Amino acid sequence: MTLVRPQVARMSGYVPGEQPQEAGWTKLNTNENPYPASPAVAEAIARAAQRLAIYPDPLGRKFSQAAAEVLGVEPDCILPANGSDEVLTILMRTFVDAGETIAFPYPSYILYETLAEIQGANSIRLPLRPDWSWDVDAVRRHTEGCKIVFVPNPNSPSGNLWDDETLLRLLPKDGILVIDEAYRDFADRPRSFDLLRSEAGGRIVFTRTFSKSYSLAGLRLGFAVARPDLISEMRKVKDSYNCDTLSLAAGEAAIRDQEWMRANVDKIRVTRKRLDDTLRACGFETVTSQANFVWCRHPSGNHQQIYEGLKSRKVLVRLMKFPGAFAGCDQGHFTGLRITVGTDAETDRFLEELEATLALMT
């Protein structure tokens, strides 16, 4: 006899990136922003700390108003949450019953599959080509009956960005298209939310996070953007007070300081280009990234050795393995390294230690 639900007992669970607690690491493995949040955030938290004896606004209305003003939508189109991962959980609770099906591109963010397992739902991995493009006609045959199609855009781990025309072709016949935009602020093309006003807009949900471009990964705040009728249904299943007072105050201050966020994003984009160019000069194959990381593969295929060599020098990157991703993968796995774009100093140290690691492999 087991006390655990069968779905949970069968799961291996999602494994997040390593978070070493001791000092001295150059940490380029979980896509945090290396620059500090807006000074307005600390000021807002200090003011909000005077109100900790009472519950936060369960609807996060002041934050939603600020986000709506910045994004050009109505406040009722915003649902704040405890990180964008909670938005994904709320979406599963709202739209997907046990036994129903979700789909997502593969390789991409594997948490979608984990959430489906928890819900007792089925999941379909929609295969990407080796150049990270879709065979849309082939993929659509698998998405017709899905309740949700999740698409991270830009994608992780690759960092590539798909256009709206392509995304709309993935909209399931009787389901929701979720466009997960954790990294969108780093892209060359800014996002507008005109899709919500399109004919298909009633079945599209965008997700955003403060963990990346706003430098607030330690705070836990994200939000959904959708038409008000979808948002009102999603509110029914969220925790009563899913966002705390400090997070809501910090998020409102951060999103109002677009100038600060954009300055940090611009620095990351410049360093991203230098990192990509140098990796290519070292023989790596890379994908032109629209996020705050670079995906790369070495012709030797010794990604485990490179990862371990860097880790022994206290430089942490993300080693990622995707079983059966593409035809012809070594040992049935598609592997590579995802490297977060750090400060220029962090990037210099990474490149120095990478050179030393590669030298030992020759």
Side-chain angles (χ1 to χ4, degrees):
M1 183 184 75
T2 177
L3 301 177
V4 179
R5 291 172 54 213
Q7 292 94 332
V8 176
R10 288 193 296 266
M11 289 172 55
S12 56
Y14 178 76
V15 180
E18 298 170 77
Q19 296 287 346
Q21 300 302 301
E22 68 271 18
W25 285 88
T26 296
K27 189 174 177 301
L28 304 175
N29 67 320
T30 49
N31 301 340
E32 293 105 335
N33 194 315
Y35 299 107
S38 165
V41 168
E43 296 169 7
I45 288 174
R47 291 192 298 271
Q50 307 305 309
R51 305 195 304 274
L52 295 184
I54 61 174
Y55 285 112
D57 177 1
L59 299 181
R61 283 168 289 194
K62 289 184 67 178
F63 165 78
S64 296
Q65 179 66 45
E69 290 174 8
V70 170
L71 301 178
V73 298
E74 295 300 315
D76 285 344
C77 294
I78 305 292
L79 175 69
N82 181 22
S84 60
D85 283 352
E86 193 204 14
V87 176
L88 302 179
T89 298
I90 290 171
L91 286 161
M92 290 294 299
R93 288 178 178 176
T94 307
F95 299 109
V96 185
D97 266 332
E100 293 184 323
T101 302
I102 64 105
F104 61 96
Y106 187 77
S108 74
Y109 192 25
I110 206 67
L111 180 65
Y112 306 131
E113 189 169 82
T114 302
L115 294 176
E117 289 180 293
I118 293 170
Q119 191 77 357
N122 305 309
S123 59
I124 298 174
R125 296 176 174 181
L126 304 173
L128 297 171
R129 297 183 177 116
D131 65 356
W132 303 92
S133 65
W134 301 87
D135 182 345
V136 177
D137 291 334
V139 162
R140 288 184 66 186
R141 291 196 292 270
H142 298 288
T143 61
E144 285 295 300
C146 290
K147 295 304 297 289
I148 296 180
V149 174
F150 290 99
V151 183
N153 199 42
N155 189 36
S156 177
S158 54
N160 65 293
L161 185 75
W162 294 295
D163 59 36
D164 286 350
E165 181 180 355
T166 298
L167 296 179
L168 284 173
R169 294 181 66 191
L170 302 173
L171 183 70
K173 182 179 179 182
D174 297 306
I176 300 293
L177 174 65
V178 175
I179 305 174
D180 186 350
E181 296 193 327
Y183 303 100
R184 185 58 192 248
D185 287 328
F186 300 100
D188 295 336
R189 302 196 306 272
R191 154 64 65 203
S192 76
F193 291 91
D194 290 343
L195 279 181
L196 295 184
R197 292 178 277 274
S198 70
E199 182 180 351
R203 294 191 290 121
I204 295 174
V205 179
F206 295 93
T207 71
R208 288 292 183 95
T209 181
F210 281 80
S211 297
K212 313 302 181 185
S213 57
Y214 291 97
S215 307
L216 291 173
L219 198 76
R220 310 314 303 138
L221 183 68
F223 60 98
V225 186
R227 286 191 186 175
D229 57 333
L230 292 186
I231 294 295
S232 65
E233 296 300 319
M234 293 167 66
R235 283 181 181 144
K236 294 177 183 179
V237 304
K238 76 175 185 66
D239 292 343
S240 300
Y241 303 101
N242 64 324
C243 296
D244 63 76
T245 296
L246 302 184
S247 296
L248 289 170
E252 180 187 353
I255 204 165
R256 288 194 183 280
D257 196 349
Q258 288 291 296
E259 183 178 357
W260 183 275
M261 183 272 283
R262 285 290 163 201
N264 284 346
V265 164
D266 287 346
K267 287 187 284 189
I268 288 169
R269 283 157 54 94
V270 170
T271 307
R272 181 181 72 192
K273 177 68 164 58
R274 180 167 71 90
L275 174 61
D276 184 81
D277 288 346
T278 307
L279 286 169
R280 294 188 186 196
C282 291
F284 284 86
E285 172 192 326
T286 69
V287 176
T288 300
S289 177
Q290 297 289 295
N292 68 332
F293 54 82
V294 174
W295 170 259
C296 64
R297 301 189 78 228
H298 194 263
S300 70
N302 294 328
H303 301 104
Q304 181 82 38
Q305 185 178 351
I306 296 170
Y307 163 78
E308 291 175 354
L310 289 168
K311 188 174 181 180
S312 71
R313 297 166 182 271
K314 301 199 82 170
V315 175
L316 203 56
V317 299
R318 191 75 182 263
L319 172 68
M320 305 191 81
K321 301 179 181 181
F322 295 93
F326 307 126
C329 292
D330 50 325
Q331 289 85 48
H333 287 73
F334 181 73
T335 65
L337 301 171
R338 194 190 67 189
I339 298 137
T340 302
V341 180
T343 63
D344 282 329
E346 289 172 329
T347 301
D348 288 342
R349 182 173 179 224
F350 161 73
L351 292 171
E352 178 183 340
E353 301 298 355
L354 177 65
E355 182 180 5
T357 300
L358 294 175
L360 293 175
M361 292 170 50
T362 58

